[in-house]
Amino acid sequence: MDFRSDTVTQPTEAMRIAMANAIVGDDVYGDDPTINALEIWAAERHGFEAAIFTSSGTQANLLGLMSHCGRGEEYLCGQQAHNYKFEGGGAAVLGSIQPQPIQNEPNGTLCFKKLEQAIKPDDIHFAQTKLLSLENTINGKVLPLDYLREAREFTQRHNLQLHLDGARVYNAAVALNVDIKEIACHFDSMTICLSKGLSAPVGSLLLGTKEFITRARRIRKMLGGGMRQAGILAAAGKIALTEQVNRLQTDHDNAKRLATSLSELDGFDINVEHVQTNIVFAKLAPHIDTLAMQSQLKKEGIIISSGNPLRFVLHNDVQASDVDILVERIRRFITAN
Ligand SMILES: Cc1ncc(COP(=O)(O)O)c(C=O)c1O
């Protein structure tokens, strides 16, 4: 049982069969029929003109940022944004793009007033602000649809592009009980990770206009991300998007189950109402030795993260009964220590 992340998910049986039987070609020549079919289908399905398959979510975000912004230009994002904090500074290192982070509000949104103040005037002293990048879900929280509408208006008013790091955008759509297009329609570009809660082994998508995706394709090649018989991966990716979406609700239910049970334990501070999708954060009292707990659980075949707050992620490879076992083992650890 591994509660560290939804990235640990194993491909499903249907994915393994589809991968074994995928018809492939050289995708750098544009010859891989399975990749081509996925890109065309995904663009249509999400309401964009075009799509590109990438090796990872990090690469999809980087291609997005580099296709929107040039050298000496700037993107606005959250302090907690994955594409600011957790991607090795790739936009700055590889794209010469300056990030302008803004503190995220407790619900994950970015305040438009603060964003407005951060937009640089047209002055030779400043980098040129080109893009606002949002993330949905962010730390498991869902950005409200009204907020997305406002973000669209805000970027139009300020002549900015709007990008979504949609690594877990399907979790957001399931939590809101809306079609994915109701989220996607607000953005100029969007990424989707196929290899997180949707269980594909590898790969993400970047979506946008034809012109934008053509730029991204050039950059992907430059970054060494042009893959050859990648249809083997796309075959699993298509199943991720067609067969794995509906079951995300189970992960959300399991997250609530875990949060509710853990919140009853001594020293665990969890706001159960804040658990909206598949991620649970628990603030632990100082007397709980998290490293010792992690190491004890590992001996019992349960892998968790370390840190405080402690993050638990629910996914296809952990069931409700596993959640109950985890809680029981944590209870035992706390009682014994
Ligand atoms: C919100 C978000 N965006 C992007 C990524 C990057 O995805 P990858 O690990 O495939 O590079 C992650 C990874 O966990 C993520 O959580």
Side-chain angles (χ1 to χ4, degrees), residues 11 15 75 110 153 191 196 198 220 227 235 259 261 269 311 324:
M15 287 177 184
Y75 69 106
L110 301 175
E153 283 161 22
T191 64
K196 297 195 165 62
L198 298 178
R220 187 186 69 174
M227 297 187 284
S261 303
D269 178 8
R311 187 182 86 152
D324 296 344

Side-chain angles (χ1 to χ4, degrees), residues 5 7 55-59 61 82-83 87 135 137 165 167-168 193 195-196 204 311:
S5 174
T7 55
S55 61
S56 66
T58 300
Q59 188 177 73
N61 270 329
H82 201 278
N83 63 24
E87 296 183 4
E135 187 173 313
T137 61
D165 177 348
R168 296 186 180 82
C193 284
S195 63
K196 297 195 165 62
S204 287
R311 187 182 86 152

